[in-house]
Amino acid sequence: MIFKGVICLRIVVTSDTHRNSRDFFRIIDRHESNADLIINLGDSESEIQLLEITKPNLNIKCVAGNCDFSSTAPLEQFITFDGKKIFFTHGHMYYVKHGYQKLQERAELEGVDICLFGHTHTPYIETINGILYMNPGAVVSGSYGVIDIEPSGIMAYHNKI
């Protein structure tokens, strides 16, 4: 994406769809032309399967959540995108409903730039020790996240459906 003559890359982050296909696909339709990557953080198995069939050219990465019972997706992933190391997981394995300490320990150990998680359904953005942490909230509650990687840095924000 080019914004004011500067190339930036956009990541759309979704989580916890819980079969709210209508709103999930509204997000996809809204960002299909301006997202370079879509990351889904789990509890969205049926929507991801449908998305892979209906829009096979999208660049999408996903992990399984605690409600994705038959998923073959990994529980966590590490990728490098535009030179930024990204760690993403649903969050249940790190007990994020009881705090972020275990997740932060793993993110710092791995030396990531961005750490994404869901599970709590609560939107959250904070930079700690140089790592951007984001929970996009839950699609089922009308929330998702956007991350723009620009030459000047990383900008993250929440969006409503």
Side-chain angles (χ1 to χ4, degrees):
M1 173 174 68
I2 299 175
F3 179 71
K4 294 185 179 179
V6 176
I7 296 174
C8 69
L9 296 178
R10 174 164 287 169
I11 304 170
V12 172
V13 186
T14 61
S15 188
D16 296 281
T17 303
H18 294 290
R19 299 194 178 272
N20 186 344
S21 298
R22 181 181 58 95
D23 284 346
F24 178 74
F25 279 94
R26 285 177 62 197
I27 294 167
I28 299 304
D29 290 344
R30 181 183 292 173
H31 292 285
E32 185 174 8
S33 65
N34 67 17
D36 300 289
L37 174 64
I38 297 167
I39 295 178
N40 180 272
L41 303 173
D43 286 355
S44 309
E45 182 177 16
S46 60
E47 291 79 19
I48 294 301
Q49 289 173 346
L50 185 56
L51 181 63
E52 290 172 340
I53 293 167
T54 59
K55 298 184 185 275
N57 295 325
L58 284 181
N59 185 11
I60 185 160
K61 306 283 184 197
C62 61
V63 291
N66 61 304
C67 294
D68 294 327
F69 302 113
S70 62
S71 177
T72 59
L75 294 173
E76 59 186 21
Q77 283 200 57
F78 293 88
I79 63 170
T80 300
F81 184 74
D82 196 35
K84 304 296 182 195
K85 187 173 182 182
I86 303 171
F87 165 42
F88 56 102
T89 185
H90 183 63
H92 63 292
M93 295 182 349
Y94 293 93
Y95 309 104
V96 296
K97 286 188 177 180
H98 304 288
Y100 304 145
Q101 182 179 352
K102 291 185 181 301
L103 184 72
Q104 290 172 337
E105 288 171 0
R106 181 68 189 273
E108 289 181 11
L109 177 70
E110 297 292 340
V112 302
D113 300 295
I114 300 171
C115 178
L116 306 172
F117 65 99
H119 190 53
T120 67
H121 294 210
T122 305
Y124 171 79
I125 296 174
E126 187 172 5
T127 300
I128 302 170
N129 296 330
I131 300 171
L132 172 73
Y133 293 87
M134 173 190 262
N135 183 326
V139 171
V140 72
S141 301
S143 179
Y144 68 100
V146 176
I147 300 172
D148 289 332
I149 302 174
E150 304 173 355
S152 60
I154 301 170
M155 183 173 17
Y157 57 93
H158 293 104
N159 221 345
K160 289 288 189 182
I161 300 166

